[in-house]
Amino acid sequence: FFFLWGELTFGGVDTTKFTGPLEYVPLTNKTYWEFATGPLKLGGKVVSGFPGSAILDSGTSLLTAPTRVVAEINKALGCAVVNGECIFAKCPDYSKLPVISFTINGKDWPLSPKDYILEVSQGGQTECLGGFMALDMPAPIGPLAILGDVFIRKYYSVFDFGQSRIGLAPSV
């Protein structure tokens, strides 16, 4: 539904699909491709309550975080929340929305509004949805965030099982 394009390569890395070096991040839990995170920043301001770990998941369409974190994001975006989804009455002016950055391995990985607002067209109508979903993962698994397809579309992602790490670089 939200995965607009992409490619999956087994056993290698396609250097034509990203720019710069791959930034490798060690896994803290191999079961879920979990790694440590720093703060989430909304327009440069730290959002309190963002968990200290996340998983990179190609099977999750959106970005998930604890309910209170997503509520703060949705409030800043100015959308209406209906059944947990951030829905805009009309597609927003992207220039008025904040950049949202995930801090991973001491580096900020920003998403622009064009990255995290999903434009869905059906029957000649376009609807805009926020790419965040509240998900409260209980202990011992959580709390944690899930960086799904919204993040993976922007950043080339390597799942390096042999060295227990993920690699990230800007996609082309």
Side-chain angles (χ1 to χ4, degrees), residues 18-53:
F18 63 92
T19 62
L22 282 164
E23 304 270 343
Y24 285 100
V25 181
L27 297 179
T28 56
N29 182 339
K30 293 179 190 179
T31 305
Y32 298 108
W33 296 97
E34 185 176 342
F35 52 93
T37 62
L40 171 74
K41 297 174 187 164
L42 179 63
K45 296 179 183 173
V46 172
V47 176
S48 67
F50 189 73
S53 62

Side-chain angles (χ1 to χ4, degrees), residues 1 16 26 41 44 59 63 65 68 82 90 114 118 137 165:
F1 174 59
T16 66
K41 297 174 187 164
L63 302 161
R68 72 178 203 179
V82 179
K90 66 177 196 152
K114 279 275 194 194
L118 308 169
M137 302 283 280
R165 64 186 183 172

Side-chain angles (χ1 to χ4, degrees), residues 9-138:
T9 303
F10 290 99
V13 173
D14 186 346
T15 58
T16 66
K17 302 293 183 188
F18 63 92
T19 62
L22 282 164
E23 304 270 343
Y24 285 100
V25 181
L27 297 179
T28 56
N29 182 339
K30 293 179 190 179
T31 305
Y32 298 108
W33 296 97
E34 185 176 342
F35 52 93
T37 62
L40 171 74
K41 297 174 187 164
L42 179 63
K45 296 179 183 173
V46 172
V47 176
S48 67
F50 189 73
S53 62
I55 62 174
L56 192 63
D57 185 18
S58 62
T60 301
S61 299
L62 303 175
L63 302 161
T64 76
T67 299
R68 72 178 203 179
V69 172
V70 173
E72 186 173 337
I73 291 168
N74 287 342
K75 182 178 178 185
L77 299 182
C79 60
V81 179
V82 179
N83 294 325
E85 283 189 274
C86 172
I87 300 174
F88 293 88
K90 66 177 196 152
C91 290
D93 178 351
Y94 293 125
S95 69
K96 295 181 180 178
L97 295 177
V99 168
I100 297 174
S101 297
F102 296 89
T103 306
I104 302 169
N105 226 21
K107 178 179 177 176
D108 284 348
W109 298 85
L111 295 176
S112 72
K114 279 275 194 194
D115 299 321
Y116 65 77
I117 299 294
L118 308 169
E119 294 184 16
V120 180
S121 296
Q122 186 177 15
Q125 299 289 330
T126 299
E127 183 175 56
C128 286
L129 309 169
F132 294 87
M133 180 177 77
L135 182 63
D136 296 307
M137 302 283 280

